[in-house]
Amino acid sequence: GKQKSRRCEQMFKNEYQGGSHVEVFSAQGRDPVSKWRLLGSVKKEYCRDIKGYVYVLEGGSSTTTTRMQFPKNEKASLGLLQPLLVFQIMIPEEARLAIELLILDGAGSRRRVQFSTSLKEVSATPLNARVPLVVTAGGQWLNLCLDLQSLTGKLFHRQVYKSLEGISIGGNCKIRRIFTLKPSPTPSEQKFVEIPRGLVISTDSVLVHTQIIDQTSCESLASSRHHQQQHSTAGGLRPGKHAPSHVAFGTKIDIPAHILRHSLTPSSLSSESLSDKSVSTVGDGISFREGVASGRGLVPRPPLHPPVDPQTMKIQKNR
């Protein structure tokens, strides 16, 4: 009996995890949430955009009343070893969402990390961390990739990631699939996230984004917020009724003039440009690559500096 209990406590420990990926959740099948704990308004429905079933969470203004938790039994754990965790998810614009992860580090300590659209800045204690979830593609399907190895080292003073033990998702979103990926063999500055062919959202009518959250993006969030505060008090673009703004860190903030001049936003792209297979954009301190899902599914690590918009250069020249 004890031996059986141990196997239940480590749900993926005895499964092969040396391949390209490990599937954690899929909305397809007869009862995909049998091992999940569901709370509030969680339902399964067919999504025409991606031609498949998804689970819909409708939590309104709360991220705690509607939730999916895995595993169902809090005494059990997952034992997922691969350090890249991917959510194929659609988060409505300005919706509230919180993702909470339970991570086991190399020293055997369990550490909890919460990513939330309501948070404004990164904070951490020895066993808990809170990270703003700045969604770069609100209202559109997204491969949201969390680099758990990089984040564990950044948030918990160079601790080593060992395994993922629990997942909780609360608030408002649609979820198609959750899976882990093995780390890329390429250098970190040229890192690629390769979505396996069988997991790619394959439809020509939907633009699928991929966003990576790791140590670099956390540092960018902190740097961007500090820069925003400096410019709002030191003669930059002051907050005002007519100042351009965007949603970041869970609140509406004004865009500094230097960012406005050198950034591309999805809204500035023409419908013609969106029909291309890939479009590079920058927003909210996290660079990302957008593209219509293909069989390859390759998404390169974004550049450190944003590209200059040729159209903006042309307007400035004409002036």
Side-chain angles (χ1 to χ4, degrees), residues 130-171:
R130 295 158 65 99
V131 180
L133 180 57
V134 183
V135 181
T136 55
Q140 299 183 54
W141 280 97
L142 176 72
N143 292 311
L144 181 63
C145 179
L146 307 180
D147 187 336
L148 303 183
Q149 184 171 336
S150 173
L151 288 166
T152 301
K154 169 65 179 175
L155 298 170
F156 300 112
H157 305 289
R158 300 183 181 178
Q159 290 294 329
V160 178
Y161 169 81
K162 183 178 180 180
S163 62
L164 176 64
E165 301 301 328
I167 302 171
S168 177
I169 310 157

Side-chain angles (χ1 to χ4, degrees), residues 161-318:
Y161 169 81
K162 183 178 180 180
S163 62
L164 176 64
E165 301 301 328
I167 302 171
S168 177
I169 310 157
N172 303 271
C173 66
K174 293 181 179 181
I175 303 174
R176 175 182 184 260
R177 183 177 269 122
I178 303 171
F179 52 91
T180 64
L181 295 174
K182 65 181 179 181
S184 171
T186 56
S188 58
E189 61 269 17
Q190 298 178 351
K191 187 174 182 180
F192 282 79
V193 174
E194 181 176 0
I195 306 299
R197 185 180 294 272
L199 303 179
V200 171
I201 299 176
S202 54
T203 171
D204 296 331
S205 61
V206 175
L207 187 65
V208 180
H209 306 252
T210 293
Q211 177 179 343
I212 303 169
I213 297 181
D214 59 3
Q215 175 179 346
T216 303
S217 63
C218 280
E219 291 171 350
S220 297
L221 284 170
S223 175
S224 175
R225 183 165 180 81
H226 178 70
H227 203 70
Q228 297 276 2
Q229 291 172 344
Q230 281 187 328
H231 273 256
S232 65
T233 58
L237 185 60
R238 297 181 181 277
K241 187 171 160 181
H242 303 290
S245 61
H246 62 171
V247 176
F249 319 110
T251 59
K252 192 173 183 181
I253 60 176
D254 295 285
I255 307 174
H258 74 287
I259 295 179
L260 187 63
R261 286 196 300 269
H262 298 294
S263 294
L264 278 171
T265 61
S267 60
S268 68
L269 300 174
S270 65
S271 58
E272 289 78 15
S273 65
L274 288 177
S275 64
D276 296 336
K277 288 193 174 180
S278 64
V279 181
S280 294
T281 66
V282 174
D284 297 323
I286 301 176
S287 300
F288 64 104
R289 177 182 170 95
E290 302 172 348
V292 175
S294 63
R296 291 189 290 268
L298 292 176
V299 181
R301 174 73 67 179
L304 294 177
H305 301 289
V308 178
D309 183 4
Q311 294 182 356
T312 305
M313 294 287 289
K314 185 176 180 181
I315 293 171
Q316 291 175 349
K317 191 172 181 181
N318 291 340

